Amino acid sequence: MSCRSVASMFAMLAAVLLGLAAPVAAHASLVFAGPPAPQADGGQFTGPPAAEAPSGEVSGMPQWLDNSAPPPAASAGGKGGLLQVPGESVPWSIIVLLTSLTLLPSILICMTPFARLLIVFHFLRQALGLQTTPSNQTLIGLSLILTFFLMQPVASNVYKVSIAPMQAGQITAMQAVTRAEDPMRQFMAHYVREKDVALFVDLAKEPRPASVSDVSMRVMLPAYILSELKAGFQIGAVLFLPFLIVDMVVASITTSVGMLQLPPVVISTPLKLLLFLMVDGWHLLIESLMRSFY
């Protein structure tokens, strides 16, 4: 612990002790001051004046330390109290919101196209031979923007069927979560493979679903993320092929002319960048990715 921290602790302790000592000293001065001296009135001594009845109990201690002070009255009807447990109470809504924020990264990865987009962009960076350009933050930001673009209709549907009724007090938070499952299930069902769904239905020992609505989220979520991983790697492998051909051609040429001391990547990287820019690679890649969801 540094000297500054120790000094701060002593200063705080001194402030607390002074705050406690001030009302106690004032109370002691009232107690030990004693009654006023008797005065003579026509040869007779008069005693001290009778003390007036106190209008209210006076304590020398602060209110937050005085145990005799009654606790503050609770608000009428208990509105806003932390112990209120109805489904539509504000504390339960806050708990659900904070839990949702905690699980937001996992939800974003497992229930949206974010994983597929990010995998493809990382494959592109490796194929071009670039290690840090574009940066991870740039690729994640681009994936987030494209995910928001793709998920906006689904989010609007979820808001209409679950969040808006919950805010109006028509349903509870748990009912809102149940209603939000159906739009997400319909979205994921378009891109999940039947093979993956059958795998997790068999592992979960569930009956064979008759339709998409019968597939539980326990089965749909792992099947969807598995399908997205496969789709992302397929696109990345196809994206790698033309740049791999460029690397092989450059390596064979440099070896045939005896340029053994020059790494082939020094020549192939600018050529791959020129090829990518000449065909307007970013436009073609984003167009292909977006059309794969429509």
Side-chain angles (χ1 to χ4, degrees):
M1 186 179 293
S2 62
C3 297
R4 181 177 299 178
S5 301
V6 174
S8 301
M9 291 177 60
F10 277 109
M12 185 182 302
L13 182 60
V16 172
L17 292 177
L18 289 176
L20 294 177
V24 174
H27 180 68
S29 64
L30 293 176
V31 173
F32 294 104
Q39 298 178 356
D41 186 9
Q44 296 181 357
F45 290 94
T46 60
E52 298 181 358
S55 59
E57 187 178 356
V58 179
S59 174
M61 302 296 291
Q63 186 178 3
W64 57 279
L65 287 177
D66 192 1
N67 294 330
S68 63
S75 58
K79 297 295 184 181
L82 291 179
L83 298 180
Q84 189 178 0
V85 292
E88 297 125 77
S89 62
V90 174
W92 276 106
S93 301
I94 294 176
I95 291 174
V96 172
L97 177 61
L98 293 179
T99 305
S100 302
L101 291 177
T102 304
L103 299 176
L104 185 60
S106 300
I107 295 173
L108 181 66
I109 293 175
C110 297
M111 301 178 67
T112 64
F114 179 81
R116 182 195 299 193
L117 298 173
L118 190 59
I119 289 172
V120 171
F121 291 148
H122 276 285
F123 266 105
L124 174 64
R125 187 172 65 180
Q126 293 295 326
L128 289 174
L130 305 174
Q131 300 299 323
T132 59
T133 304
S135 63
N136 290 331
Q137 291 82 359
T138 304
L139 296 181
I140 292 174
L142 179 59
S143 302
L144 282 174
I145 293 173
L146 296 178
T147 301
F148 174 78
F149 177 82
L150 292 171
M151 295 298 296
Q152 195 273 333
V154 182
S156 299
N157 193 12
V158 170
Y159 178 83
K160 182 172 60 176
V161 301
S162 66
I163 298 179
M166 184 187 67
Q167 292 178 343
Q170 300 174 0
I171 58 175
T172 63
M174 295 306 298
Q175 291 173 340
V177 173
T178 304
R179 288 192 178 187
E181 288 182 0
D182 187 61
M184 295 302 303
R185 185 186 293 109
Q186 296 294 332
F187 170 79
M188 291 186 289
H190 286 87
Y191 311 105
V192 70
R193 298 188 304 169
E194 294 183 2
K195 181 180 180 180
D196 296 330
V197 175
L199 170 64
F200 287 101
V201 167
D202 181 63
L203 293 176
K205 306 299 182 183
E206 294 184 359
R208 184 177 180 87
S211 62
V212 176
S213 301
D214 297 332
V215 180
S216 64
M217 295 299 288
R218 178 192 176 192
V219 172
M220 183 64 74
L221 285 176
Y224 174 77
I225 188 62
L226 185 59
S227 301
E228 287 295 290
L229 289 175
K230 185 178 185 301
F233 273 81
Q234 284 179 336
I235 298 173
V238 174
L239 191 63
F240 233 105
L241 290 179
F243 300 106
L244 181 61
I245 294 174
V246 173
D247 286 331
M248 294 176 62
V249 171
V250 171
S252 62
I253 293 176
T254 54
T255 303
S256 62
V257 299
M259 302 175 60
L260 301 179
Q261 301 299 326
L262 181 64
V265 68
V266 176
I267 302 176
S268 64
T269 300
L271 293 178
K272 289 187 290 187
L273 287 175
L274 288 175
L275 175 64
F276 187 71
L277 294 176
M278 287 175 59
V279 299
D280 197 4
W282 281 113
H283 178 81
L284 292 177
L285 178 62
I286 300 300
E287 181 184 7
S288 301
L289 285 174
M290 292 296 101
R291 293 190 182 280
S292 65
F293 291 97
Y294 289 97

